[in-house]
Amino acid sequence: QKTLEYLTGYLIEKGLAIENVFVWVTIFTYFAVPPEYQKRVLLWGVVGAILMRAVLIYLGAVLIQQFSWIFYLFGAFLVLTGVKMFFFVGKKPDLGANPVLQWLRARYRVTEHLEGERFWVMKNGLRYATPLLLVDFIALKAQGAHRVSVKEAAIWSVVWFGAALAFAAWLWWHLSGLHGAEVAKQKTLEYLTGYLIEKGLAIENVFVWVTIFTYFAVPAEYQKRVLLWGVVGAIVMRVVLIYLGAVLIQQFSWIFYLFGAFLVLTGVKMFLFVGKKPDLGANPVLKWLRARFRVTDTLEGERFWVVKDGLRYATPLLLVLVLVEVTDLIFAVDSIPAIFAVTSDPFIVFTANTFAILGLRAMYFLLADMADRFHLLGYGLALIVALVGVKMLILDFYKVPIPWMLGTVAAILAASVAGSLLVRSAARETS
């Protein structure tokens, strides 16, 4: 039964993919792309297609699980799609009038001719970040499951912070050579401000992870692998959200006001819920996972899946990973609009997010035992989010200078941390 389902699905997808191939021919012909460059484009296209399908398949499975009537909606959509395909057989798309192409040309500076196999400057950001992530994977493989000490976490935190600052230096150097010192200064300040905002909001995420690992009693030596895969998932999700945010901002200027109002409300919510831990036992995602999959009663080392008596079981560590990803998605929905208040440049948004996330795992092991010491930090983060929301709301009346924004964010974070330590010290002296 399952093999027949797989073969049928494969045949359907393979047949529909042929139509995609004909569109690719039109695109490459329109841009006069030499065959030697087409292979690289298609390779990255396949990677993007797999990632997008993973997201869509997950969403489809969730919708079908929650709403049985969604089958009728899918069915009606497929019938209409079939009719549309029938009427458009043989008609080539008019790429000159393509809205996506028009948006890209209006939004970005585009060279008049191909530059070999190069895409654009964002590739350099990915070149810089990807090896660092690979180093983390290689180190994990070499070290195996082990308890991460505070010293090791501190060293890695310094490494990631240094990498973020080194990228800022490279960004200034690169842009000053292309567009002058003024543009380089502006973009570098936007990157640093966005990085600081994302790094600050990530601390709140760390405290939620502490609750998740405590609830499932995950030993410290297994947490590293979960967080490493969590970082990879976080980067993928943020790429999708950043793209959607950039498209929305480009198409609808009023979306800034919606983002601003959302951030103000989020700041108020964060302020009211400071110090309150989530009730994981009542978490709907966790309930759905337990109802959908067979789950072992105990951890099975670092494995996410095991096979027992010919049946595939999820381990509690997989549930932990899913909850880590879900919480990061929730925080991303809050933080992505916040950084768009600083800059609308997707490259700056992407790199600031990526470098803030890359150091998140090390930050967790550094702060895991200190969650109670920074009890005022939540209030500071709530204030930052609310102020960023206000900045977006008053954009048409007053544009807050980026240096002021950077200084304000840094001052609030420093005051929150210092205030937490001082209050704790005073409480100890009193007792």
Side-chain angles (χ1 to χ4, degrees):
Q1 175 67 22
K2 293 297 180 182
T3 305
L4 286 174
E5 289 177 1
Y6 161 78
L7 290 173
T8 305
Y10 172 80
L11 201 59
I12 291 173
E13 294 297 326
K14 201 67 174 179
L16 291 174
I18 296 175
E19 190 75 11
N20 213 2
V21 168
F22 296 154
V23 175
W24 290 350
V25 172
T26 304
I27 294 172
F28 285 131
T29 303
Y30 180 84
F31 285 96
V33 179
E36 58 267 27
Y37 299 156
Q38 295 176 10
K39 184 177 179 180
R40 185 166 185 267
V41 173
L42 293 177
L43 182 60
W44 282 107
V46 167
V47 173
I50 291 173
L51 293 176
M52 287 187 289
R53 277 169 168 74
V55 174
L56 291 174
I57 289 169
Y58 174 76
L59 291 175
V62 171
L63 288 173
I64 289 171
Q65 179 73 20
Q66 297 296 323
F67 313 106
S68 58
W69 52 263
I70 206 75
F71 268 106
Y72 300 105
L73 185 62
F74 283 177
F77 173 76
L78 289 173
V79 170
L80 292 175
T81 300
V83 172
K84 185 192 75 172
M85 290 174 66
F86 184 86
F87 284 106
F88 281 86
V89 169
K91 296 182 180 180
K92 294 184 178 180
D94 181 9
L95 292 179
N98 187 283
V100 176
L101 187 57
Q102 291 178 349
W103 177 80
L104 288 170
R105 290 190 182 281
R107 183 68 182 81
Y108 300 104
R109 292 178 290 271
V110 182
T111 58
E112 295 178 359
H113 51 82
L114 294 173
E115 298 287 341
E117 286 191 300
R118 286 178 291 178
F119 294 136
W120 65 330
V121 69
M122 180 178 273
K123 185 187 73 171
N124 292 312
L126 288 169
R127 262 187 184 172
Y128 196 80
T130 304
L132 293 174
L133 194 58
L134 289 176
V135 166
D136 218 1
F137 270 105
I138 294 170
L140 175 64
K141 188 71 175 177
Q143 295 172 335
H146 73 290
R147 179 184 293 270
V148 178
S149 65
V150 174
K151 179 182 178 181
E152 181 183 344
I155 292 173
W156 274 107
S157 295
V158 171
V159 169
W160 293 125
F161 185 68
L165 293 183
F167 181 80
W170 173 87
L171 182 65
W172 182 90
W173 171 80
H174 180 80
L175 293 178
S176 62
L178 288 177
H179 309 294
E182 192 60 35
V183 173
K185 176 184 175 183
Q186 176 70 15
K187 292 296 181 182
T188 305
L189 285 175
E190 289 176 1
Y191 163 77
L192 290 172
T193 305
Y195 172 79
L196 201 58
I197 290 174
E198 293 299 324
K199 203 69 174 176
L201 292 175
I203 296 175
E204 190 77 7
N205 213 357
V206 165
F207 296 156
V208 176
W209 290 351
V210 172
T211 304
I212 294 173
F213 284 128
T214 303
Y215 180 83
F216 284 93
V218 179
E221 56 267 26
Y222 299 155
Q223 295 174 8
K224 184 176 180 180
R225 184 166 185 258
V226 173
L227 294 179
L228 187 55
W229 282 108
V231 165
V232 174
I235 292 175
V236 172
M237 286 188 289
R238 275 168 164 75
V239 168
V240 175
L241 290 174
I242 289 168
Y243 173 77
L244 292 176
V247 171
L248 288 173
I249 289 171
Q250 179 67 25
Q251 296 296 323
F252 313 105
S253 58
W254 50 264
I255 206 76
F256 266 106
Y257 300 107
L258 185 61
F259 282 176
F262 173 75
L263 289 174
V264 171
L265 292 175
T266 300
V268 172
K269 183 193 75 174
M270 289 174 65
F271 188 89
L272 295 176
F273 282 85
V274 169
K276 296 183 179 179
K277 295 183 177 180
D279 181 8
L280 292 179
N283 186 285
V285 175
L286 186 57
K287 287 182 176 179
W288 181 83
L289 288 170
R290 290 190 181 281
R292 186 72 179 81
F293 301 104
R294 290 181 290 268
V295 183
T296 59
D297 295 327
T298 58
L299 293 170
E300 299 287 339
E302 286 190 300
R303 288 180 289 180
F304 296 128
W305 298 93
V306 294
V307 176
K308 291 185 175 181
D309 300 325
L311 297 175
R312 192 176 180 83
Y313 285 80
T315 70
L317 205 62
L318 178 67
L319 304 187
V320 172
L321 176 62
V322 173
L323 286 180
V324 165
E325 298 289 8
V326 169
T327 56
D328 187 76
L329 177 61
I330 294 171
F331 278 99
V333 171
D334 292 340
S335 65
I336 296 299
I339 194 171
F340 270 115
V342 176
T343 177
S344 58
D345 188 335
F347 173 63
I348 300 298
V349 175
F350 171 76
T351 50
N353 263 276
T354 299
F355 281 101
I357 293 169
L358 284 175
L360 203 52
R361 183 183 57 78
M363 184 193 295
Y364 166 80
F365 290 108
L366 190 62
L367 301 179
D369 296 329
M370 306 180 187
D372 295 333
R373 300 183 189 181
F374 302 119
H375 58 285
L376 297 181
L377 185 59
Y379 296 105
L381 295 174
L383 180 59
I384 289 173
V385 171
L387 287 177
V388 170
V390 171
K391 177 185 182 297
M392 298 184 85
L393 291 174
I394 64 172
L395 189 63
D396 287 341
F397 307 102
Y398 180 71
K399 189 172 183 179
V400 180
I402 294 299
W404 291 11
M405 195 72 186
L406 177 60
T408 301
V409 171
I412 293 174
L413 288 175
S416 301
V417 173
S420 298
L421 297 177
L422 288 173
V423 170
R424 186 178 180 85
S425 177
R428 281 181 177 176
E429 291 179 3
T430 302
S431 61

